[in-house]
Amino acid sequence: MIVFDKPKSLTDAELHYCPGCTHGIIHRLVAEAIDNLGIEGKAIGVAPVGCAVMAYNYFACDMVEAAHGRAPAVATGIKRSLPDNIVFTYQGDGDLASIGMAETVHAATRNENITVIFVNNAIYGMTGGQMAPTSLPGQITQTSPYGRDVKTAGYPVKIAELLSALDGPEFIARVAVNNVKNVNTAKRTIQKAFENQINNKGFSLVEVISSCPTNWGMTPSDALKWIDDNMIPYYPLGVFKDKSAKEETK
Amino acid sequence: MTTEILIAGFGGQGILFAGKFLANKGLFEGRSLSWLPSYGPEMRGGTANCSVVLSDEPIGSPIVTNPDVLVVMNLPSLDKYENAVKPGGTIFVDSSLIKREVKREDVTAYYIPATRLANENNMPTLANMIMIGKVIKECGVVSTDGMEEAVNKIVSARHQNLKEINLKALKIGEEY
Amino acid sequence: MSKVLMKGNEAIAESAIRSGCRHYFGYPITPQTELAAYMAKRMPKINGTFLQAESEIAAINMVYGVAGTGKRVMTSSSSPGISLKQEGISYIAGSDLPCLIVNVQRGGPGLGGIQPSQSDYFQATKGGGHGDYHLIVLAPSSVQEMADLTALGFDLADKYLMPAMLLADGTIGQMMEPVELGEEKAVSTEKKPWAVTGTEMKRKHNIVNSLYLAPDELEKKNFERYEKYKTVEENEARYESFMMEDAEYCVVAFGIAARVSKNAVVAARKEGIKVGLIRPITLWPFPKKAIAEAAGKVKGMLSVELSTGQMIEDIKLAANCAVPVELCCRVGGMIMSPDEVLNSIKKLVGGAGK
């Protein structure tokens, strides 16, 4: 009996992520959703710049590597060209919420029929731990060595709240992957974000609160706890916008 | 033969439209031609000019710096371009808007009170076409045959009722 | 086929549609707006995409997305907007994808002005964005060529799997001339073996990518691309030669500057000066052989351009010091008159004769 198997939508390539990083879990959840929905042959992914830059080696579907922050624009082009395919982006916080903010907001407001997986770990991982747009007030990073000072560096960007204020997007939710319960919710939510696209409902974004033990300077288990103690209080989990559900309850 | 025409005035006087008529007329006659507008941030009310070159040979530069024919519908344009006209060239002046005469003696000048004629004939926006009617008659830059065809081409589908009045304006200019 | 009267910008749009392009992404900027307006009107009627993007950056990345799926796609802008697109252009070149980029140039640097210019020559022909790469750069000098070179641009981009740029200017974009449009081509449904179209579980996944972290791999990629560029240089340099048969002096100019120069050459001939014109139609590949050949015959050359002297560097390289090469230029949206070019020709004749 097989009790554990790798999703078909992941390749055999060995992931390069640091030990304890939750990117691996999120990759798996995306791949499982693709497997469950039977869309591997139709899926086209767009990889970001950042830690997940080499996601194109890990997902078994067709992949495009985008410039920093531009994944929603690239995905828009792909989806307009191939409306019957399933197009998703996989982006980090620097990519999606800083340099790519315009592309994110406008893909959302156009209700572009794509799925966006937004991994928020409150830090720039690949470049070595700089302050991210989502770094918490007081959070120490390489470029906020005395802690993020909101007087000079401003406040974190709450993407789920911000985007759900728009009329455009179909579905905006925030999940976390720091414990089994949260992972199970994340799995269902990510799958829904793909189902929405299959059903032509439009822009669906799942913000996934993730950890970065290496750059947070913690053990993996402390990092998961830090999510509970610091991240989730600032970034509450839940569904922020679900246009179709709202219509159904009317 | 190549004729270089410069039409100038205020935006909103139909300067570009007048040029387009000549260009389309030239197209129907199978001639080489180019039409080049001035373009800028002022959509209305600023200065506008347009270069039209009609020729029996391939056209080099579409930019008219020394026109054979100058059509002016405001004083700043006459002041600006009078000296640029080629010796022996022709200047057409809307005399209801420009209260001075052409100073040069080596060019031929025609004075047409086009704006007044347009108002009197209930076609206040067509002083431009009255001027063009006169240009065609005096300079023969295009033939007077087949005017209707060219008017049809430039009057947009939703303004087809304006065909007749454009033709009438051309006629008024021709007969002035 | 009969000729129609069209603005240069519109001729590009119609020709692109007839070339089977069904995807256009842009952002408003003068003086190319007619092109986007034309696409906005036509694309929805022919099952195509017109999308006004949130920025030039987004537009070029949408182009990258469509190009990755193997379909014909284009964007258009003017100088400041083209600067913004450079990142995306570099990625497209680095991923070996075809597309057409239109630059209806205006004066710069910075916000510059909105009048015609040719001052993006360096940017267009030497790469433009970061990294070692080239675009095929086509320089139309009439409304007819706006149409013809658009079609050629798509074909060459597809043939060599690299982006092509139509480097026009505000004058050619805004002017109307009679134009004969090509036959409408069917939209290609051919699936490119490299494109991302979904694996359909029948093949290994395709990856569109310009990232090669191993330096030896990246070097190999770059060298391979340069082998391709050599082929393009060998086969695709195009130019028009005007009154060069017995010429003792040679004017080199492209785009609107070539139109003005033609008048000057005709005027000079009337005064007994044996001068001709070489008009590069492709700026990259630059018609080096034609220039070198002319340099071997004439006494002097004159580069006429709407920049402070950019193409003149390529002319000098091709002429290889065989003859003096002088410059006649206007910039910032000003255009030289035929008389100014004629005077420069006369100066060249005087100088070279000394």
Side-chain angles (χ1 to χ4, degrees), chain B residues 43-155:
Chain B
M43 294 291 283
R44 299 281 181 275
T47 56
N49 72 72
C50 127
S51 297
V52 178
V53 184
L54 291 161
S55 182
D56 302 314
E57 304 152 37
I59 291 167
S61 174
I63 305 152
V64 173
T65 34
N66 299 111
D68 300 293
V69 175
L70 173 68
V71 181
V72 283
M73 295 187 66
N74 66 8
L75 180 61
S77 297
L78 179 59
D79 290 346
K80 187 170 174 188
Y81 297 116
E82 179 175 349
N83 288 330
V85 177
K86 280 185 196 135
T90 316
I91 302 181
F92 293 84
V93 176
D94 183 338
S95 56
S96 37
L97 299 176
I98 302 170
K99 297 299 177 195
R100 78 163 173 88
E101 294 200 347
V102 171
K103 291 171 191 158
R104 280 176 60 178
E105 285 172 0
D106 60 344
V107 297
T108 311
Y110 293 95
Y111 301 92
I112 312 98
T115 298
R116 179 170 61 78
L117 290 171
N119 286 330
E120 283 170 7
N121 285 280
N122 260 334
M123 46 174 82
T125 56
L126 290 179
N128 57 344
M129 295 302 270
I130 293 176
M131 295 295 287
I132 293 301
K134 183 71 174 171
V135 170
I136 292 171
K137 184 193 167 194
E138 300 299 339
C139 298
V141 290
V142 292
S143 148
T144 47
D145 296 336
M147 296 281 241
E148 214 174 321
E149 215 181 0
V151 167
N152 284 352
K153 189 77 196 167
I154 53 162
V155 174

Side-chain angles (χ1 to χ4, degrees), chain B residues 20 33-35 39 59-61, chain C residues 114-116 175-176 259 263:
Chain B
K20 264 184 201 173
L33 68 97
S34 65
W35 172 94
Y39 61 92
I59 291 167
S61 174
Chain C
I114 59 168
Q115 300 301 325
M175 70 191 275
M176 285 201 299
R259 298 281 295 255
N263 285 24

